[in-house]
Amino acid sequence: GECDPTYSIFGKALQLLRNLADKRVPEAMAALPQFAEIDQAKARDREARRSAWEAEQKAQMDTKQRKREECQQLRKIEVERCQPLLGRPLRTGECTNCSGHNADFCTYKHFETRDLPPHCLHFSKGNCRNGDACWFNHLRCSCGLC
């Protein structure tokens, strides 16, 4: 838990002080305990900051996981709502986007078999008048990862 003498000026000074104390230099032997206490205090501070950072990272990961699970639940509900609508013919073009986009939010038909119809263009603008009777999906992302 002490300062690394390779990188830290304080660590280099502490190592030099230890070397002098090993050679029985009285001033170095008298000063060493004070410098060792400073080094231990710095080590405790580093450990406290590391622990706080780890706790923050864990909280962020937990929040992200909770939001992701919420999105999966919302998707499941929307799949159940759209299940009876999948057989209906839709007047929408086929998607030609070759980049890796999420087909759940695409307003065009996709070539592969899907458990959701294309995304409602009006819902994404916030003004679909059909509500639950709409033939398109009304999926909403709350996690920011979809």
Side-chain angles (χ1 to χ4, degrees), residues 67-75 141-143 146:
K67 287 183 177 183
R68 185 76 176 142
E69 289 169 359
E70 181 181 316
C71 269
Q72 290 170 347
Q73 185 63 30
L74 290 173
R75 187 183 192 286
C141 174
S142 65
C143 70
C146 296

Side-chain angles (χ1 to χ4, degrees), residues 105-125:
F105 297 97
C106 186
T107 57
Y108 295 101
K109 284 190 279 191
H110 280 254
F111 300 105
E112 69 273 1
T113 305
R114 305 265 310 130
D115 55 353
L116 280 173
H119 199 257
C120 177
L121 182 64
H122 303 288
F123 180 78
S124 58
K125 292 179 183 176

Side-chain angles (χ1 to χ4, degrees), residues 2-21:
E2 55 187 48
C3 288
D4 187 350
T6 310
Y7 302 108
S8 164
I9 292 172
F10 183 80
K12 290 176 183 178
L14 188 60
Q15 185 61 45
L16 181 60
L17 193 58
R18 285 192 176 121
N19 291 344
L20 290 172

Side-chain angles (χ1 to χ4, degrees), residues 17-102:
L17 193 58
R18 285 192 176 121
N19 291 344
L20 290 172
D22 288 345
K23 293 178 181 175
R24 302 283 183 213
V25 174
E27 292 86 359
M29 291 174 66
L32 186 59
Q34 295 166 338
F35 278 85
E37 177 56 37
I38 293 170
D39 188 40
Q40 289 173 356
K42 290 176 85 168
R44 286 190 298 270
D45 183 49
R46 278 193 307 274
E47 180 61 28
R49 282 184 287 156
R50 187 185 63 74
S51 295
W53 179 81
E54 286 176 353
E56 182 182 331
Q57 293 297 313
K58 184 179 181 337
Q60 288 176 359
M61 291 299 291
D62 291 347
T63 300
K64 187 183 276 188
Q65 180 63 29
R66 191 181 77 254
K67 287 183 177 183
R68 185 76 176 142
E69 289 169 359
E70 181 181 316
C71 269
Q72 290 170 347
Q73 185 63 30
L74 290 173
R75 187 183 192 286
K76 183 179 173 184
I77 292 168
E78 189 62 15
V79 166
E80 289 172 8
R81 183 191 75 84
C82 292
Q83 210 61 28
L85 307 173
L86 286 177
R88 296 183 179 186
L90 300 173
R91 287 191 216 160
T92 179
E94 304 240 345
C95 181
T96 58
N97 187 345
C98 296
S99 68
H101 69 292
N102 190 337

